[in-house]
Amino acid sequence: FLFQDVKYIFGVVGVPVVEIAVAAQEVGIKFIGMRNEQSACYAAGIMGYLTRRTAVCLVVSGPGLLHAVGGMANAHINGWPLLVIGGSSDQDQEGMGGFQEFPQVEACRLYTKYACRPNSVQLIAFHVEKAVRQSLYGRPGVCYIDLPGSLINQEVPLKSLKEVHRCPDPPQIFADQRLVSKAFDLLKNSKQPLVIIGKGAAYSRAEEKIRTLVTRCNLPFLPTPMGKGVIPDNHPMCVASARSRALLEADVILLLGARLNWILHFGKPPRFSPSVKIIQVDLMMEELHNNVQAEVALAGDVEAVTSQLLQELDNCNWSFPATAPWWERLKTKIEENAKVVQKMISDNSLPLNYYIVLHKINELIPKDAVIINEGSNTMDIGRTMLANYLPRHRLDAGTFGTMGIGCGFAISAALWCQDTAPTKRVVCIQGDSAFGFSAFEMETVIRYKLPVIVIILNNNGIFSGVDKETWDELNNNETHLGLSIPPTSLSPAARYEGITAMFGGRGYYVTTIPELELAIKESLETVHQPSVINVIINPYAQRKPQDFPWLTRSKM
């Protein structure tokens, strides 16, 4: 692991992997002991995204590995480098019903690029290098190595081990220059262009070149949720507040590291114009022309291809007219939507609504904070209300739409900040249901003294709950509670902030905006004492009216 630049291992130890964690610490690899394998795997996956180097999740056999599969699938679908090391039952007990025996390699193949079980100690280093390389090269992804307990505890002569070198960083892939020229001509001749920036652009470290391209060409851009911050949200060419109109009316779309999947409504009508021409830039060739036939498909690293587009720009120095009717239509829609949101921000009636709470959070947290955003309405509204100014500073449910990532992501983000910018804060903003998936990882946060502030928007349920009066009526009903309590409901005004009292962190129960202001300010003043701020909001609060439903459904 050390040879492959692995800096962190996340996991839950037990038989037979305790020795691996101890050995890793002895050579300087930081082991972060988590409370659940699923959160550990989420943490390792997002560390791979943040660093562009493979992070490791270490788990025990059988149930321990199966708990980690959710994190493996999440990293696999998102395209993040991750290596999972699973202990397994001893080789000489295979098929006999050994302790936690399970067909682990076979179970992992669906979620991995490479899965193996070395048959000797001498081959472990070879498979580790190969797994790291497979996880980084091409489209990043997940690899799995199965280590039987009998192998972990085996001793061999040092001279019998073969030397394995560090896996080099992946080579940068450039697109066919003729196709780049064709793409630029298409963009140059468009009447209503749009750039869509995905998290693939953030992973590629393409922010500088994309900002140059967008600014010099005067192009409106729209970030996907985790593409936010590649160009700051307050940039004058950001049209996120006119998302529906921009998607619907654009005639040429430059797609930078974003997939035409459910997040972008598959690139199809009625959300997109039937005649729209797509310029698609993606590292993975298999992703090109998926769902929609691209007019120009550019296979390559987003940063590299954007530099090629800039070379085309240098040859002609073109810019989209600032006075074009397209800009006027987008600006009009932005202003209309701003008025609707402002009305909701101005509503400080109790219980509070999403918009006023998220607006106040956005005002108070540092502009360079890493934001983890999770939940249904909490995440969807947060995408529009919480501004990002730096790339890779918004982490959310991602392509897989995964709930439960919050605390695991926050732990990794805080460790990443310690290595790169020690004064930076991590703010994890979750719904109450989302917090429940991994709430006990707050003990992990506090144990490692990580500068994490968790803010819970507590609406008593999944999507929405019920108020206290309705809850009391349901509880007094003679019908079994499994029949009377709505499936989306959770306990009203639950005191989630109390979890910090068990471990030495700070907890705040908030019902008003002044209380929220005080809680955030006090939380920001202490770096090594994490906080949980439990904000009670109206259980019936909803998003502002939408031009289209957020989720495109099939018409059967």
Side-chain angles (χ1 to χ4, degrees):
F1 296 149
L2 191 64
F3 289 148
Q4 304 309 327
D5 276 357
V6 172
K7 292 181 170 57
Y8 287 98
I9 296 178
F10 302 84
V12 180
V13 296
V15 175
V17 300
V18 177
E19 292 84 356
I20 294 175
V22 173
Q25 289 180 319
E26 288 176 349
V27 297
I29 298 174
K30 300 179 180 72
F31 178 78
I32 308 300
M34 308 281 283
R35 302 306 299 257
N36 182 279
E37 292 91 352
Q38 193 174 70
S39 288
C41 207
Y42 290 147
I46 202 66
M47 184 63 84
Y49 168 75
L50 290 169
T51 63
R52 277 226 306 195
R53 290 296 298 184
T54 308
V56 172
C57 177
L58 177 67
V59 299
V60 299
S61 48
L65 174 69
L66 288 176
H67 290 167
V69 166
M72 295 172 72
N74 188 60
H76 175 70
I77 298 296
N78 279 291
W80 298 336
L82 167 66
L83 172 57
V84 175
I85 304 292
S88 60
S89 54
D90 291 358
Q91 290 164 307
D92 59 349
Q93 295 177 356
E94 190 166 343
M96 296 173 63
F99 176 66
Q100 295 183 334
E101 183 178 356
F102 190 74
Q104 296 179 185
V105 176
E106 292 83 350
C108 292
R109 289 201 193 280
L110 186 61
Y111 315 102
T112 58
K113 295 177 69 178
Y114 178 68
C116 68
R117 178 175 169 136
N119 62 14
S120 72
V121 173
Q122 287 83 352
L123 285 174
I124 291 176
F126 165 82
H127 285 290
V128 168
E129 188 280 334
K130 183 171 183 177
V132 168
R133 181 160 35 86
Q134 291 271 340
S135 73
L136 292 171
Y137 280 44
R139 182 174 182 269
V142 184
C143 293
Y144 173 69
I145 297 178
D146 195 71
L147 294 180
S150 51
L151 211 64
I152 293 171
N153 293 302
Q154 187 177 342
E155 293 184 5
V156 298
L158 186 62
K159 62 182 181 181
S160 71
L161 302 178
K162 295 180 181 179
E163 184 179 1
V164 175
H165 296 288
R166 175 191 183 274
C167 170
D169 291 335
Q172 199 172 41
I173 308 299
F174 290 82
D176 186 323
Q177 190 60 47
R178 293 170 300 174
L179 291 177
V180 173
S181 299
K182 182 180 177 182
F184 192 80
D185 286 341
L186 186 63
L187 196 64
K188 190 170 61 174
N189 293 315
S190 65
K191 303 297 182 186
Q192 298 181 169
L194 178 67
V195 178
I196 298 179
I197 302 170
K199 70 174 176 293
Y203 182 83
S204 176
R205 307 304 195 263
E207 52 266 18
E208 183 179 337
K209 288 186 170 61
I210 292 177
R211 291 176 196 177
T212 302
L213 178 70
V214 165
T215 303
R216 285 181 58 185
C217 294
N218 195 47
L219 294 169
F221 75 89
L222 176 70
T224 64
M226 283 183 62
K228 281 163 60 71
V230 170
I231 304 179
D233 284 344
N234 61 351
H235 194 283
M237 288 155 205
C238 180
V239 295
S241 297
R243 184 179 190 272
S244 293
R245 177 166 292 178
L247 294 178
L248 179 61
E249 298 183 12
D251 63 353
V252 173
I253 292 177
L254 173 60
L255 201 65
L256 296 173
R259 288 176 268 180
L260 292 175
N261 55 21
W262 67 273
I263 292 176
L264 288 173
H265 316 288
F266 312 106
K268 294 178 177 294
R271 300 302 299 267
F272 287 72
S273 166
S275 59
V276 66
K277 292 179 172 60
I278 302 290
I279 303 166
Q280 191 175 8
V281 180
D282 203 286
L283 184 65
M284 187 181 182
M285 281 193 184
E286 290 87 343
E287 195 63 41
L288 301 175
H289 305 295
N290 192 37
N291 292 323
V292 172
Q293 182 79 29
E295 190 74 14
V296 185
L298 302 173
D301 185 276
V302 176
E303 199 267 351
V305 176
T306 307
S307 69
Q308 291 178 280
L309 290 168
L310 285 172
Q311 290 173 4
E312 294 289 325
L313 179 60
D314 289 338
N315 294 332
C316 68
N317 203 29
W318 167 80
S319 178
F320 186 69
T323 57
W326 177 227
W327 266 119
E328 291 303 314
R329 287 186 55 72
L330 291 172
K331 288 176 180 177
T332 299
K333 187 63 174 176
I334 289 170
E335 291 169 1
E336 290 174 1
N337 284 337
K339 291 176 182 177
V340 176
V341 172
Q342 184 57 48
K343 183 178 179 181
M344 302 181 85
I345 290 172
S346 302
D347 177 12
N348 60 1
S349 59
L350 300 179
L352 299 167
N353 69 69
Y354 286 102
Y355 289 86
I356 189 170
V357 171
L358 290 167
H359 173 71
K360 184 56 63 175
I361 293 170
N362 188 61
E363 277 189 341
L364 293 173
I365 64 175
K367 287 191 173 184
D368 66 348
V370 179
I371 296 172
I372 291 91
N373 198 193
E374 182 188 14
S376 51
N377 286 336
T378 300
M379 182 176 66
D380 293 337
I381 301 171
R383 173 174 53 84
T384 63
M385 297 298 297
L386 300 169
N388 290 95
Y389 306 96
L390 296 169
R392 299 169 293 282
H393 279 56
R394 177 185 169 85
L395 311 176
D396 63 25
T399 308
F400 206 30
T402 309
M403 291 295 108
I405 50 88
C407 287
F409 277 20
I411 288 165
S412 262
L415 293 166
W416 177 62
C417 290
Q418 284 184 348
D419 293 340
T420 57
T423 60
K424 193 171 289 190
R425 302 307 300 267
V426 173
V427 184
C428 182
I429 303 159
Q430 303 174 277
D432 51 327
S433 171
F435 180 66
F437 280 92
S438 59
F440 224 73
E441 294 298 345
M442 283 307 301
E443 188 274 330
T444 310
V445 171
I446 293 168
R447 182 174 7 122
Y448 289 101
K449 299 180 180 179
L450 299 176
V452 173
I453 301 170
V454 174
I455 304 177
I456 303 167
L457 273 63
N458 186 350
N459 71 342
N460 306 343
I462 304 169
F463 306 120
S464 62
V466 296
D467 57 35
K468 185 67 165 59
E469 292 73 20
T470 304
W471 179 266
D472 289 341
E473 289 178 13
L474 293 170
N475 269 276
N476 291 329
N477 194 312
E478 292 183 1
T479 304
H480 190 283
L481 293 179
L483 298 174
S484 62
I485 295 177
T488 60
S489 293
L490 301 172
S491 299
R495 302 299 297 258
Y496 295 112
E497 78 286 354
I499 194 169
T500 58
M502 292 188 285
F503 312 123
R506 287 190 174 191
Y508 299 88
Y509 183 78
V510 167
T511 59
T512 67
I513 291 301
E515 290 173 350
L516 177 62
E517 290 177 334
L518 179 63
I520 293 176
K521 287 177 181 177
E522 287 189 359
S523 296
L524 289 170
E525 288 171 0
T526 55
V527 176
H528 297 302
Q529 191 176 34
S531 302
V532 172
I533 303 172
N534 183 17
V535 186
I536 305 303
I537 66 169
N538 191 330
Y540 307 112
Q542 296 294 328
R543 302 176 64 180
K544 71 178 180 63
Q546 304 293 303
D547 294 335
F548 291 92
W550 70 272
L551 183 62
T552 300
R553 308 301 296 265
S554 300
K555 293 182 172 66
M556 301 296 286

